[in-house]
Each structure stands twice: as C-alpha cells, then as structure tokens.
Amino acid sequence: MGFASEIWRYHGQVNNTPVEAVAVLADAQRRGLFGFVRRVRRPVTREEAAAAVGISAKLAAFHLDKLVAAGLLRAGREGPGGLPRVGRRPKVYELAEVDIRVSIPERRPDLIAEILVDAVVTQQPGEDARAAALRTARERGREWGAGERARIRPGRLGPERSLTLTEATLDRAGFEPARTASGEVRLRNCPFHQLAAREPDLVCGINHAYLGGVLAGLEATGVDAVLAPRPGECCVELRPGPRPA
C-alpha cells in the first residue's frame, strides 16, 4: 500500500479526497441513508432506503447517488438479497469497500505499524529487529515511489525535476514540503509525530529509510534524503545531492 493511500483507502476508481468524502455526510438525510445501508449490510433499493429515513424515493435516489459519487456506496442491478427478478432489475445500493480517516495535520501511525509487522514477518537470519524495520521501510518507500513514477511517467529526471517531482509527491502524502532559499526542501509536517516523540531514534530512522526508498522508486537523481531534525517538523529534509556521473 502506498503512502498516499494511507490515511484513506478506496478500492475502486474514486477521485475524492477524504475531506470531500466526509463532507458528503454533512447532510442529515444522507447520513441517515448511509447509516441504514451500513446496518442492513446488503444491497437495498431506493424505495427501501427512502422508507427507512422517511423521505420520497426520488429524493433518496438523489442522495444515494451522491454517496456513490463520493465512493461511500456502490450501485448495481443485483436483486436485493440476491433473489432473481423477472424483467428489469431495480437499481440497488450497497457499501463500498472504504476506509476513510481524516487527520489535520496528516498523521500516519498505521504506516509505521505496517512496516513493523512486515519487518517481524520477514526478518532474515542474522538480522536484528531494527535492521529488519529499516530494510522494510526502504522497500515500502521504493514500492510507493515506483508506483508514483509509473502513474506520472515523468521520463528521465535531472536534479531539478527530481526535486520538483519529489516535492509534489510528498505534498500529496501530507509532509507539507517547502523549498528554502538555499534549495533544500523542508518537510514541515511529520506524519509520525506522536510516535517520533516517543521513540525518535527508531521512528526517525524508519522515516529516513522510507523516504530514501521513495527517492529510489521515483528514480530521482541528484536528491538526497538527509536526517536534519527540527522542532515541530519532519526529521528529514531533501537536499540537492551530487550530480550523477
């Protein structure tokens, strides 16, 4: 799983951000419809949903389609309960496979947890726990960076384009990058803040390894991830590195 999907996951083609998805539930009728579908845990028709919250079927269809557009529900033509039906089957709605969490500023303790679990499962002979965690973090970072590169298809990257692409990638992940006058990129937000405050050596090491993996996956040349802790910010910054030979 990549970092950008981190805070939230949608299994499907949905482009909304977590905040936009949650905003859809600001409407009380929409919340009621969504709650009904969650309770029954099966496909429902607009008529069933309308009766459950006491509104017209037409209004229910409008709100249900908004929930589909937000990625919270999915729609189809399967009969309720899987029962066969003669003629045109009614449109039905059911829960989408969705996990949305909103955090401001962005926080990702789950990523650290996943890295540590994978490290325990894949720990190699002669490898201590810390080394396994750093190796796993690099692998996860490289996997995400490679996925972003495949999605964006930036072509060959020189140092400046590498820095710009990395900055944009980490911005989407909630690191809040900001380029300084001297050319470094400071990461103003630490997604692992609470854990880093508790175990800074371990968590900052994992973060450093992860971001180094991201740079490798992006094939970003002439950019280094460097440990440079400052209060209230991420412990890593991006610096222009030696130009490749």
Side-chain angles (χ1 to χ4, degrees), residues 13 19 22 102 122 130 144 152 169 177 194 204 218 221:
Q13 300 300 316
V19 172
V22 171
V102 177
T122 65
R130 182 184 179 88
W144 180 49
I152 299 169
T169 300
Q194 292 93 339
C204 289
L218 289 172
T221 59

Side-chain angles (χ1 to χ4, degrees), residues 96-178:
E97 294 181 47
V98 62
D99 178 5
I100 302 173
R101 282 163 287 168
V102 177
S103 175
I104 302 174
E106 193 129 351
R107 295 290 184 248
R108 283 304 315 277
D110 58 308
L111 178 61
I112 297 292
E114 290 170 5
I115 287 172
L116 292 175
V117 168
D118 287 348
V120 171
V121 172
T122 65
Q123 188 170 352
Q124 300 169 4
E127 187 179 48
D128 63 24
R130 182 184 179 88
L134 297 180
R135 171 184 52 78
T136 303
R138 283 191 294 269
E139 291 171 355
R140 291 291 296 271
R142 184 187 292 269
E143 178 185 339
W144 180 49
E148 287 294 287
R149 181 176 176 84
R151 182 181 68 83
I152 299 169
R153 299 181 180 179
R156 186 173 181 178
L157 296 170
E160 178 57 33
R161 287 191 63 213
S162 292
L163 198 61
T164 299
L165 175 61
T166 306
E167 187 177 358
T169 300
L170 296 183
D171 185 51
R172 288 194 298 275
F175 280 90
E176 299 180 6

